[in-house]
Amino acid sequence: MIKNPKTYFNWSTGKDASLALYYLQKSGKHHIDRLLTTVNNHHNRVSMHGLRRELLMEQVKEIGLPVTTIELPEEPSMEVYNIEMERAVTKLHSEGYTHCGFGDIFLEDLRTYRETKLRPYDIQCCFPLWQRNSKELITEFLDLGFKAIIIALNSEVLDVSFAGREIDENFLKDLPSNVDPCGENGEFHTFCFDGPIFSNPVKFTLGEKVYKEYKRPKEQDTCNVGHSMGFWFSDLLPIEKSKND
């Protein structure tokens, strides 16, 4: 095995990705010098999370790693997603990357998908959080000094009051028993803005809360639940820096 193989990280902007990146960097076994993020270029926001591009760029600046963005249209099909991802991975492979880090915890089908897609490029997937206990992970996240805020949530499992809340002990106590503490089943998504991987906290203010509905994935679409699923988003607004900063 190559010592300190060239590695990029699949960056979501959230807490699990932040903790996984921290562990990979701390291990000293990988040379991580790039982040990879999907962005909806119609809305100019990070896919799924709805984070403004400006805050993504502020975040990666404080992490100190460059980011490659995969630009997606307003409503990308899985086919379009795969084409754009393959284009990006082909370029990364040509630049000598042999490993990729992920923040997944226990979704077997997602891990299999990632490994299957990267196998033709001989890129090895790294999952530093794999099969860890979700409650233990979120406790470690907080104990290490990380901070994150809820920016998107599935309205079928959480009400709008959780949007815009910072993850802390009170948040964890208030979570319904059927919600994973790390939101690993897609119950909620986060923006990590402070912690040991950051030079400085990312500054922002809370904007409005917005409700949006999306087409339900075919495997989840049954006559009992309908053809759409709703999400609440808490918009985060970047704070303009003065010229003297």
Side-chain angles (χ1 to χ4, degrees):
M1 180 179 175
I2 300 175
K3 184 178 181 181
N4 303 126
K6 193 171 183 179
T7 306
Y8 68 93
F9 193 93
N10 196 69
W11 185 247
S12 68
T13 75
K15 57 177 179 43
D16 299 334
S18 298
L19 187 59
L21 177 60
Y22 167 80
Y23 283 133
L24 283 179
Q25 289 179 323
K26 187 179 179 182
S27 73
K29 297 179 180 179
H30 297 268
H31 177 60
I32 305 170
D33 63 359
R34 180 159 298 275
L35 304 176
L36 181 67
T37 304
T38 56
V39 173
N40 186 304
N41 59 24
H42 177 83
H43 297 291
N44 218 25
R45 294 173 182 264
V46 175
S47 300
M48 293 296 296
H49 288 212
L51 181 75
R52 291 171 182 255
R53 191 190 295 264
E54 301 98 308
L55 281 174
L56 164 66
M57 301 314 294
E58 283 295 316
Q59 186 188 50
V60 300
K61 184 183 76 172
E62 297 299 345
I63 292 173
L65 293 175
V67 62
T68 292
T69 60
I70 298 175
E71 304 290 329
L72 299 176
E74 182 177 10
E75 295 185 8
S77 64
M78 199 63 194
E79 180 182 8
V80 168
Y81 173 84
N82 285 332
I83 289 173
E84 294 303 322
M85 179 63 74
E86 288 168 5
R87 180 179 289 120
V89 172
T90 297
K91 187 173 188 300
L92 289 166
H93 178 256
S94 71
E95 294 171 353
Y97 288 92
T98 60
H99 290 65
C100 178
F102 295 94
D104 303 306
I105 303 173
F106 57 70
L107 297 180
E108 294 280 357
D109 56 341
L110 185 55
R111 174 169 180 157
T112 299
Y113 170 80
R114 299 195 194 284
E115 292 175 331
T116 300
K117 289 296 182 181
L118 292 181
R119 191 171 296 121
Y121 302 92
D122 293 323
I123 293 178
Q124 183 175 328
C125 299
C126 307
F127 299 90
L129 308 185
W130 190 247
Q131 293 188 334
R132 291 284 308 278
N133 179 277
S134 294
K135 177 59 176 174
E136 292 177 0
L137 281 177
I138 197 62
T139 298
E140 287 181 18
F141 178 85
L142 296 174
D143 289 346
L144 286 166
F146 280 106
K147 295 182 180 180
I149 189 170
I150 307 301
I151 57 175
L153 59 85
N154 186 334
S155 64
E156 293 180 354
V157 293
L158 289 173
D159 65 64
V160 64
S161 67
F162 283 91
R165 284 187 61 175
E166 185 175 332
I167 293 182
D168 55 19
E169 287 300 325
N170 289 329
F171 170 84
L172 296 176
K173 290 177 182 177
D174 291 342
L175 279 181
S177 59
N178 63 324
V179 173
D180 181 78
C182 286
E184 179 70 350
N185 295 305
E187 298 98 328
F188 59 87
H189 301 289
T190 61
F191 171 60
C192 187
F193 60 92
D194 196 9
I197 64 173
F198 296 88
S199 296
N200 300 286
V202 181
K203 297 180 179 179
F204 62 89
T205 58
L206 288 175
E208 64 179 338
K209 296 180 182 181
V210 179
Y211 178 78
K212 293 187 176 183
E213 291 192 350
Y214 299 89
K215 293 180 181 178
R216 187 180 299 276
K218 291 182 179 179
E219 65 272 14
Q220 298 179 15
D221 191 10
T222 71
C223 59
N224 294 323
V225 295
H227 299 284
S228 64
M229 54 196 306
F231 284 84
W232 278 103
F233 293 88
S234 181
D235 193 17
L236 304 184
L237 309 175
I239 296 177
E240 295 293 335
K241 294 184 177 180
S242 70
K243 295 181 179 180
N244 296 325
D245 286 348

